[in-house]
Amino acid sequence: MTDISRRAFLITAAAVPASLAALPAAAATQDVTIQGMAFAPQTITIAAGDTVRWTNQDGAPHTATFQAAGMDTGRLSRGGTGELTFAQPGTYDYVCAIHPSMRGRVVVTG
Ligand SMILES: [Cu+2]
């Protein structure tokens, strides 16, 4: 790249208004509480790149286990937390591996 073309490129890039720049949204962390042998909310909707944090309020241990996606918080004892980040849009169903009747869903929008 010659000096002249490099200068032209820099000027062009600088002329793009900041408001039009495609800045990625800041990733967020959203909470799911495990209480009374249930996930609350049972379905949580997040944006791609966001993190879900599960907190177990029960005396019994629980997990959030995504068998299809191969993701797992591991065993959470009372007061324990586990976080998983979802990069790809989709619908992700999960269970507690210890109590498989406990079911939840994470919906990841694009
Ligand atoms: Cu459980």
Side-chain angles (χ1 to χ4, degrees):
M1 188 181 277
T2 67
D3 284 348
I4 291 173
S5 65
R6 180 177 295 120
R7 188 173 301 121
F9 171 77
L10 291 173
I11 291 168
T12 301
V16 175
S19 60
L20 295 181
L23 297 173
T29 298
Q30 300 202 44
D31 285 291
V32 173
T33 299
I34 313 173
Q35 192 163 29
M37 304 292 286
F39 299 105
Q42 187 172 36
T43 296
I44 190 167
T45 301
I46 66 171
D50 284 357
T51 296
V52 178
R53 174 174 52 214
W54 285 266
T55 300
N56 181 17
Q57 306 284 16
D58 279 345
H62 297 299
T63 75
T65 300
F66 297 78
Q67 289 156 324
M71 299 165 66
D72 197 331
T73 61
R75 184 184 179 103
L76 305 176
S77 56
R78 183 196 289 272
T81 62
E83 297 185 1
L84 296 172
T85 299
F86 296 80
Q88 299 299 325
T91 298
Y92 299 86
D93 290 324
Y94 66 95
V95 298
C96 172
I98 303 166
H99 313 101
S101 63
M102 294 173 59
R103 297 180 171 277
R105 174 174 286 176
V106 177
V107 177
V108 183
T109 62

